[in-house]
Amino acid sequence: MRDILPGEMGAWYFAEGLAREVANRFGYQEIRTPVAEHAELVERGAGESSDIVRKEMYRFQDLGERWLVLRPEGTAAAVRAYFESGLDRGPQPARLFMLAPMFRYDRPGKGRYRQHQQFSLEAIGDGSPALDAEVIEVAHTWFAELGLRQVTLNLNSIGDETCRPAYRDALVAYYRPLKERLSADDQRRLEQNPLRLLDSKDDEGFKAGAPKIADFLCDDCREAFGQVCGLLEAAGIEYQLNPLLVRGLDYYTRTTFEFWHGALGGAQNALGGGGRYDGLAAALGFTATPGVGFGLGIDRTLEMVSEEGEEIVSPPAAELLVLPAEAGLERAAAAVARRARELVPAAVDYSTRSLRAKMRSAGGSGARWAAIFNGAEADRRVVQLRDLASGEQREVAWDDLARTLGE
Ligand code: HAM
């Protein structure tokens, strides 16, 4: 887990502000769910055999001896909130989004943190494939307006409970004779969750010859997927069909998608991903209800924004620093800052250092102005307003300060 410092904050404001703005533009409303959830909810959602549940959860008992987790993903929580708060009885679908930290005990590395921030979005309560295309368009718009040019969309359908069992059988029949040559991890996948073999990192070329889900889709899934592809084309959104895209969470049905960046590599390093999860609500013990959504990793996305050479400036500590030249001028300094704040962010140097030291530190602070005064000037209600870049300085009355700064 890491600290995000003031110098990075401009980029975070921009990315999160744009996420809110784009989501609102499509009619999605923000929700905030607690950072902890009942372990059982998250485990049932992501699936017992998923990597997240098997080895990445911050799982603990609270003082009431309830098992909780720091949420590793937001979809199970969003579905819980949808039912518990009565959104299931309002207009459908509920269009919701979150900007929230997620926690995974993974091996930390570049773009992989134990706490990461997601822009996640869910359309719950309507099974139309048009919503799959809609949520993809929201994500696409966010990446585009962040200025990213090297993002590619990978798209697949992994079928539903009608057609997936036959596909799973075909995969097992293909991999079973290869079992001895698979890694221990993949041997376990073969027994517990064969679809995840398509996502294996230890694969030795077996995936390429494996049966393809596209050959197994039932008519309904095939038609729905055709509609998603057609709608993306109509929206001018390019995509790449990727029959190996199965995603790491167990709740997906039909459409799955991921956004990849050229400077990251492989599915492990996606900027974001999502899909349809029509079986999730029932698996959590609620009324069967369809849904579709995505989670986009803001940490990684911002790393790619700077990788592509875009620089987003962070706000300085203050644009104007008030520098009282003597002790005992706190009240006047606060009054000057209050007037400056009518126009620019302003702060006071309340330290007991010499004026020379205060000037030096103001010069290195990134501030544009210094307002300097001594006791006599305070009595006359004036300051020396100094442009810290040019060194130009002039006397300004307190009451003219905001107007002068605006010139
Ligand atoms: P996910 O693919 O597990 O999906 O995570 C979404 C995104 O979060 C990833 O593509 C990645 O950018 C970012 N991410 C995940 N783990 C880390 C990490 N350790 N460090 C940095 N970034 C990370 C979900 O979480 C689903 N809930 C998405 C979804 C919503 N599906 C339907 N609705």
Side-chain angles (χ1 to χ4, degrees), residues 243-385:
L244 299 177
L245 190 69
V246 288
R247 309 265 304 131
L249 296 147
D250 284 359
Y251 50 61
Y252 291 109
T253 48
R254 298 195 169 171
T255 310
T256 54
F257 58 88
E258 268 178 6
F259 290 90
W260 292 1
H261 191 278
L264 296 166
Q268 176 67 359
N269 287 323
L271 288 186
R276 181 158 280 288
Y277 45 85
D278 293 348
L280 176 58
L284 297 177
F286 299 110
T287 314
T289 305
V292 62
F294 63 64
L296 311 179
I298 301 183
D299 307 72
R300 281 180 199 177
T301 300
L302 287 177
E303 283 163 23
M304 291 307 107
V305 168
S306 62
E307 176 83 26
E308 287 197 16
E310 218 183 303
E311 223 187 301
I312 303 168
V313 179
S314 293
E319 274 181 55
L320 180 143
L321 284 171
V322 181
L323 309 182
E326 303 158 12
L329 295 177
E330 289 80 3
R331 193 187 273 242
V336 170
R338 204 169 294 124
R339 283 168 171 76
R341 283 183 201 120
E342 289 167 21
L343 205 81
V344 298
V348 181
D349 186 338
Y350 286 115
S351 71
T352 54
R353 295 177 292 182
S354 69
L355 180 61
R356 178 193 282 271
K358 288 182 187 178
M359 291 280 287
R360 209 178 309 120
S361 123
S365 72
R368 199 171 149 212
W369 308 99
I372 308 156
F373 65 94
N374 57 26
E377 285 162 325
D379 291 342
R380 291 199 291 121
R381 297 168 71 86
V382 299
V383 295
Q384 303 302 321
L385 182 65

Side-chain angles (χ1 to χ4, degrees), residues 73 75 104 111 113 116 118 122 247 251-252 270-272 293-295:
E73 66 97 35
T75 308
R104 298 183 188 179
Y113 306 103
H116 71 277
Q118 275 189 22
E122 319 287 352
R247 309 265 304 131
Y251 50 61
Y252 291 109
L271 288 186
F294 63 64

Side-chain angles (χ1 to χ4, degrees), residues 111-390:
R112 197 167 50 230
Y113 306 103
R114 288 181 172 164
Q115 175 178 338
H116 71 277
Q117 184 80 356
Q118 275 189 22
F119 166 27
S120 68
L121 177 139
E122 319 287 352
I124 307 173
D126 185 325
S128 169
L131 287 168
D132 306 25
E134 176 178 290
V135 302
I136 291 173
E137 186 173 352
V138 178
H140 172 87
T141 305
W142 185 66
F143 287 126
E145 294 188 17
L146 278 172
L148 285 171
R149 290 173 300 274
Q150 300 168 33
V151 180
T152 52
L153 169 62
N154 281 252
L155 191 65
N156 193 20
S157 171
I158 57 167
D160 62 9
E161 68 287 353
T162 309
C163 48
R164 208 184 311 160
Y167 177 61
R168 194 182 291 120
D169 291 346
L171 264 187
V172 172
Y174 170 81
Y175 274 103
R176 179 77 64 203
L178 302 169
K179 184 167 181 181
E180 299 309 312
R181 295 159 69 189
L182 299 178
S183 68
D185 231 20
D186 283 353
Q187 294 194 11
R188 186 189 48 73
R189 286 182 169 143
L190 177 59
E191 302 310 328
Q192 292 179 358
N193 194 348
L195 252 69
R196 295 281 299 146
L197 285 163
L198 299 179
D199 200 25
S200 166
K201 288 177 260 337
D202 328 307
D203 180 72
E204 289 174 28
F206 301 138
K207 295 193 244 200
K212 301 276 182 290
I213 180 74
D215 300 327
F216 288 79
L217 293 182
C218 59
D219 289 346
D220 286 351
C221 285
R222 187 184 311 281
E223 196 183 308
F225 193 52
Q227 207 179 330
V228 175
C229 295
L231 283 162
L232 290 177
E233 282 151 31
I237 297 173
E238 285 177 27
Y239 59 86
Q240 213 136 47
L241 292 179
N242 180 348
L244 299 177
L245 190 69
V246 288
R247 309 265 304 131
L249 296 147
D250 284 359
Y251 50 61
Y252 291 109
T253 48
R254 298 195 169 171
T255 310
T256 54
F257 58 88
E258 268 178 6
F259 290 90
W260 292 1
H261 191 278
L264 296 166
Q268 176 67 359
N269 287 323
L271 288 186
R276 181 158 280 288
Y277 45 85
D278 293 348
L280 176 58
L284 297 177
F286 299 110
T287 314
T289 305
V292 62
F294 63 64
L296 311 179
I298 301 183
D299 307 72
R300 281 180 199 177
T301 300
L302 287 177
E303 283 163 23
M304 291 307 107
V305 168
S306 62
E307 176 83 26
E308 287 197 16
E310 218 183 303
E311 223 187 301
I312 303 168
V313 179
S314 293
E319 274 181 55
L320 180 143
L321 284 171
V322 181
L323 309 182
E326 303 158 12
L329 295 177
E330 289 80 3
R331 193 187 273 242
V336 170
R338 204 169 294 124
R339 283 168 171 76
R341 283 183 201 120
E342 289 167 21
L343 205 81
V344 298
V348 181
D349 186 338
Y350 286 115
S351 71
T352 54
R353 295 177 292 182
S354 69
L355 180 61
R356 178 193 282 271
K358 288 182 187 178
M359 291 280 287
R360 209 178 309 120
S361 123
S365 72
R368 199 171 149 212
W369 308 99
I372 308 156
F373 65 94
N374 57 26
E377 285 162 325
D379 291 342
R380 291 199 291 121
R381 297 168 71 86
V382 299
V383 295
Q384 303 302 321
L385 182 65
R386 187 180 177 89
D387 180 324
L388 288 167
S390 66

Side-chain angles (χ1 to χ4, degrees), residues 53-68:
V53 170
R54 283 184 51 248
K55 51 187 188 189
E56 296 177 2
M57 294 238 282
Y58 283 89
R59 197 175 194 279
F60 61 96
Q61 235 174 350
D62 73 2
L63 294 177
E65 301 195 342
R66 285 169 291 235
W67 281 103
L68 302 181

